[in-house]
Amino acid sequence: MAAAAPAADGVPGRGPPGEVIHLNVGGKRFSTSRQTLTWIPDSFFSSLLSGRISTLKDETGAIFIDRDPTVFAPILNFLRTKELDPRGIHGSSLLHEAQFYGLTPLVRRLQLREELDRSSCGNVLFNGYLPPPVFPVKRRNRHSLVGPQQGGGRPAPVRRSNTMPPNLGNAGLLGRMLDEKAPPSPSGLPEEPGMVRLVCGHHNWIAVAYTQFLVCYRLKEASGWQLVFSSPRLDWPIERLALTARVLSGALGEHDKMVAAATGSEILLWALQAEGGGSEIGVFHLGVPVEALFFVGNQLIATSHTGRIGVWNAVTKHWQVQEVQPITSYDAAGSFLLLGCNNGSIYYVDVQKFPLRMKDNDLLVSELYRDPAEDGVTALSVYLTPKTSDSGNWIEIAYGTSSGGVRVIVQHPETVGSGPQLFQTFTVHRSPVTKIMLSEKHLISVCADNNHVRTWSVTRFRGMISTQPGSTPLASFKILALESADGHGGCSAGNDIGPYGERDDQQVFIQKVVPNASQLFVRLSSTGQRVCSVRSVDGSPTTAFTVLECEGSRRLGSRPRRYLLTGQANGSLAMWDLTTAMVGLGQAPAGGLTEEELLEQLEQCELAPLASFRGAPPSPSPRTSLTSLHSAFSSASLSSRRGSPSPPQAEARRRWGGSFVERCQELVRSGPEPRRPPTPAPRPSAGLGAPLAPPKMKLTETSF
């Protein structure tokens, strides 16, 4: 053959333009001329045929290129004709290969097609964009309203309860396989002070927390979202954020709208004015790290796993700190605050009767119920049924335990003295329950096994939960989220998966697969079905998100709207219309991520093997390439279609059941594949949004 003449030294060398070159691309043979391959200067092929890149020959003497032969065919056709037939071509994968081969004319043409198909204004759900605010000046004066009102005694040591480990809500094995996060900066603050750390909303108000300051926006009917408050620059990074925006011109005057920020044990509270501006109310100290910060009516509540609770009342302007049992969960219903503790008890505080009991000057903390097995109550959800009589509402409480159990207890208003009665028990989780939600139509629980979700349909009679026929199993799926232990920039509170929404409506989960992802998946909390997916319009990673239920305008026929708010690493805030997405739910693909979409997300990070996994020896390489996983899955799929799986993968299926997660574990244990000669792998452009290829097979164990 013509190309085999200089095979002795392994370099093709230069030859006449009409010389026939034989190629073996991924096992498929191609033949073309030297002139066809080299008419684009400084490409992969011109470097290959000039000897600047070493070549590998197969048994016939053809030049072997370890790339996808399916995508190479249209590339070779473009080199022959200088024309591109768009039919049957997947744009993103073709662009990736064209960038690898260095074919500049083809890359520019494909990027133009991407620009024509995609818009920087986002999809139809994109509803608004707020640019980063101006970085404020530092706060000068610091004062505290706590003084002698703070609870006495030495602060309790900072510790977690035994039934709720610190990283209970994070992804399990796959989460621990992530690389260790980068060391903090010398100042102790995150490296990105301008990124959005937390987002929360209430009625038509939004609070956005950055590293050392926060801003508040208000939705006005005619002018849209307006910046109404910006805090001074603080001395510490914000870790918790809470907002309350009650009705305009309420009984409390300027304290109808408040925003609070916390870090460590310190809480800073501001009062907001409807027309703009705000004033600092004070600085409060809990004495131990604040792990939950929220409002119940006008009361600001701060809790810690150590068992300490702090309450500030807007009417009496009184701050009270009290010791309770170690707190592992909480929920609020009306004026009642319920606390789940590690001793299996559920306590309640009637904040409407705040501040104190007269006999001992303590908060009104009373034990409501104790778990029969005395397992720690790690998740809590309270549902108040519609008022059906003068006696009041049914109180329905669902809670999850450290052993994985899910229980539902109910209390009729006429039987207050007897306490809640155990209604139903589910034992379908083997890991601690991290979230639970009881709504009008569904019971939803999430456990620590990579956010495994179990859902049931709730049967009701006249608005009250019914024993006939009882709850029926509905769905089982996972909201896979490979978030690091402390989240992006050291804060995980801004990436809570949910569920979000009113309890008398369909609720949703928000899924961000990898920490630096710019794409979010919105899924129904009841079935896991995908509602929509959104991607940041500026291409920056999404660092925080939440769902806001906005009130309708005063116009006739206007209804409340549901928005997804996403904060970006560059400090901007985007809004997405979930109400429109819910209306077009039937047009969305069912389920969560396909395997191709999951692999595309995982390409943004690397998985580190676990040396201690089931006693496996440490891998010689600290990382396992996702490209290896992708190729292994592709070969496994191809072998299964041919009916002859390879022995290692057949062994993995026999031992691990063939699920995607378990195959990841097996591949990590077996170590990386033998290294091939390094080839330049260009980074995909930020505008690529589609999967690399159509889904090859559905996931077997669950829908991610």
Side-chain angles (χ1 to χ4, degrees):
M1 292 184 294
D9 55 359
V11 179
R14 298 183 180 273
E19 178 186 2
V20 177
I21 305 297
H22 299 280
L23 303 175
N24 180 349
V25 181
K28 186 175 181 179
R29 298 290 298 273
F30 295 90
S31 297
T32 185
S33 67
R34 178 184 291 270
Q35 182 180 8
T36 298
L37 289 178
T38 58
W39 68 269
I40 298 179
D42 298 327
S43 68
F44 171 83
F45 301 107
S46 60
S47 299
L48 183 72
L49 297 180
S50 65
R52 294 196 299 268
I53 299 178
S54 60
T55 60
L56 182 65
K57 302 292 186 68
D58 65 4
E59 65 278 2
T60 65
I63 301 174
F64 179 75
I65 303 176
D66 191 13
R67 304 297 291 185
D68 186 359
T70 305
V71 187
F72 182 75
I75 288 179
L76 182 59
N77 187 60
F78 173 80
L79 292 174
R80 288 167 172 165
T81 63
K82 299 181 176 60
E83 297 293 335
L84 178 64
D85 185 4
R87 293 175 297 178
I89 299 176
H90 200 284
S92 59
S93 57
L94 184 59
L95 176 60
H96 186 273
E97 291 298 293
Q99 289 173 330
F100 171 80
Y101 291 119
L103 307 178
T104 305
L106 180 58
V107 169
R108 290 176 178 173
R109 186 172 299 190
L110 291 172
Q111 288 177 340
L112 178 60
R113 287 185 59 201
E114 291 283 345
E115 290 297 325
L116 294 176
D117 293 338
R118 294 178 57 86
S119 171
S120 61
C121 300
N123 58 24
V124 69
L125 302 179
F126 180 62
N127 190 263
Y129 182 87
L130 299 175
V134 178
F135 200 83
V137 297
K138 190 173 183 180
R139 184 168 65 111
R140 295 181 180 178
N141 59 332
R142 301 190 61 179
H143 63 277
S144 173
L145 297 184
V146 180
Q149 299 176 4
Q150 184 177 0
R154 177 177 295 180
V158 179
R159 60 181 177 85
R160 301 272 187 163
S161 64
N162 295 328
T163 58
M164 192 172 183
N167 299 332
L168 185 65
N170 296 329
L173 175 64
L174 287 180
R176 296 194 300 271
M177 289 162 64
L178 282 174
D179 292 339
E180 295 181 359
K181 65 177 182 177
S185 62
S187 63
L189 299 177
E191 295 291 346
E192 302 178 60
M195 76 173 189
V196 177
R197 291 174 61 87
L198 297 164
V199 182
C200 67
H202 191 214
H203 293 300
N204 291 350
W205 287 67
I206 296 174
V208 184
Y210 297 85
T211 301
Q212 291 181 276
F213 72 102
L214 62 89
V215 295
C216 294
Y217 297 90
R218 180 193 174 196
L219 177 61
K220 297 184 179 180
E221 187 172 345
S223 54
W225 291 99
Q226 301 294 318
L227 178 66
V228 294
F229 173 72
S230 179
S231 75
R233 183 159 55 95
L234 307 178
D235 298 326
W236 32 259
I238 298 175
E239 296 178 352
R240 298 290 182 267
L241 184 68
L243 171 71
T244 180
R246 297 177 65 81
V247 294
L248 191 63
S249 301
L252 296 178
E254 66 175 5
H255 289 167
D256 274 335
K257 301 164 185 65
M258 293 175 285
V259 63
T263 189
S265 62
E266 191 170 82
I267 305 165
L268 190 56
L269 181 64
W270 290 273
L272 305 175
Q273 277 75 45
E275 299 305 321
S279 58
E280 183 178 311
I281 295 176
V283 181
F284 310 102
H285 298 275
L286 189 62
V288 291
V290 177
E291 309 212 22
L293 187 70
F294 53 95
F295 285 94
V296 178
N298 295 310
Q299 332 294 335
L300 175 65
I301 312 293
T303 65
S304 172
H305 280 85
T306 62
R308 184 170 294 187
I309 177 175
V311 183
W312 185 83
N313 186 274
V315 177
T316 63
K317 297 180 174 58
H318 183 92
W319 171 257
Q320 176 74 17
V321 176
Q322 183 172 324
E323 298 288 344
V324 198
Q325 287 288 331
I327 301 169
T328 50
S329 58
Y330 71 92
D331 195 20
S335 62
F336 285 93
L337 169 64
L338 278 80
L339 304 173
C341 299
N342 72 341
N343 62 350
S345 294
I346 299 176
Y347 297 89
Y348 74 94
V349 180
D350 189 351
V351 296
Q352 193 171 19
K353 298 178 181 178
F354 182 83
L356 305 171
R357 290 190 296 206
M358 296 180 62
K359 63 176 183 177
D360 52 10
N361 208 38
D362 279 344
L363 293 175
L364 290 166
V365 180
S366 304
E367 185 177 32
L368 179 68
Y369 183 80
R370 184 179 288 267
D371 182 71
E374 297 188 355
D375 290 333
V377 180
T378 54
L380 195 61
S381 177
V382 186
Y383 179 76
L384 294 180
T385 63
K387 198 170 184 179
T388 56
S389 64
D390 295 336
S391 57
N393 312 78
W394 277 73
I395 300 177
E396 302 172 358
I397 302 173
Y399 69 91
T401 67
S402 57
S403 62
V406 175
R407 301 186 194 273
V408 180
I409 58 178
V410 297
Q411 179 174 351
H412 191 274
E414 297 176 355
T415 59
V416 175
S418 60
Q421 303 297 315
L422 181 60
F423 179 80
Q424 201 161 4
T425 299
F426 303 92
T427 54
V428 293
H429 290 292
R430 299 182 59 189
S431 300
V433 178
T434 58
K435 292 179 177 293
I436 199 162
M437 177 60 66
L438 179 60
S439 62
E440 183 178 358
K441 297 181 180 179
H442 301 104
L443 172 63
I444 301 158
S445 63
V446 185
C447 78
D449 179 19
N450 293 303
N451 291 333
H452 179 220
V453 183
R454 293 295 296 262
T455 65
W456 298 268
S457 296
V458 175
T459 304
R460 295 187 176 277
F461 177 71
R462 294 182 179 177
M464 296 171 286
I465 197 166
S466 174
T467 58
Q468 301 296 332
S471 302
T472 52
L474 186 61
S476 174
F477 54 93
K478 285 185 178 179
I479 305 294
L480 182 66
L482 301 181
E483 193 67 37
S484 56
D486 292 326
H488 191 118
C491 186
S492 60
N495 291 273
D496 185 12
I497 64 172
Y500 294 96
E502 301 294 337
R503 302 200 185 200
D504 57 354
D505 198 1
Q506 281 272 23
Q507 297 178 315
V508 295
F509 283 115
I510 307 299
Q511 182 177 17
K512 186 176 78 168
V513 181
V514 294
N516 292 325
S518 60
Q519 185 177 15
L520 300 180
F521 298 88
V522 182
R523 301 171 60 179
L524 285 183
S525 61
S526 56
T527 62
Q529 179 183 359
R530 185 190 302 182
V531 178
C532 63
S533 64
V534 300
R535 187 184 295 272
S536 60
V537 293
D538 51 15
S540 62
T542 299
T543 55
F545 53 82
T546 190
V547 173
L548 173 64
E549 305 282 342
C550 273
E551 297 175 337
S553 66
R554 298 179 184 142
R555 297 169 184 165
L556 185 63
S558 177
R559 296 183 178 181
R561 305 290 295 182
R562 185 185 302 189
Y563 296 100
L564 169 63
L565 309 176
T566 61
Q568 312 303 134
N570 61 4
S572 63
L573 187 74
M575 283 154 283
W576 311 84
D577 186 2
L578 287 189
T579 301
T580 301
M582 298 291 285
V583 171
L585 183 59
Q587 304 173 1
L593 283 72
T594 62
E595 185 167 329
E596 294 292 339
E597 291 172 326
L598 182 60
L599 287 169
E600 181 189 10
Q601 293 284 316
L602 293 177
E603 286 290 347
Q604 303 177 42
C605 67
E606 291 185 348
L607 301 179
L610 282 180
S612 59
F613 177 66
R614 293 183 183 264
S619 173
S621 174
R623 295 183 175 180
T624 298
S625 171
L626 266 298
T627 306
S628 307
L629 294 177
H630 191 289
S631 61
F633 296 151
S634 302
S635 61
S637 176
L638 182 62
S639 301
S640 62
R641 287 197 295 269
R642 293 177 177 175
S644 58
S646 61
Q649 287 151 352
E651 177 68 15
R653 287 195 184 94
R654 182 182 66 82
R655 296 179 57 188
W656 303 101
S659 71
F660 176 77
V661 176
E662 292 160 350
R663 280 182 284 159
C664 280
Q665 298 168 356
E666 180 64 23
L667 285 171
V668 170
R669 289 186 58 200
S670 60
E673 296 179 354
R675 292 178 176 259
R676 293 173 179 168
T679 55
R683 182 175 298 176
S685 64
L688 301 181
L692 295 178
K696 295 186 177 110
M697 60 180 180
K698 291 293 183 181
L699 301 179
T700 54
E701 87 166 355
T702 184
S703 176
F704 287 92

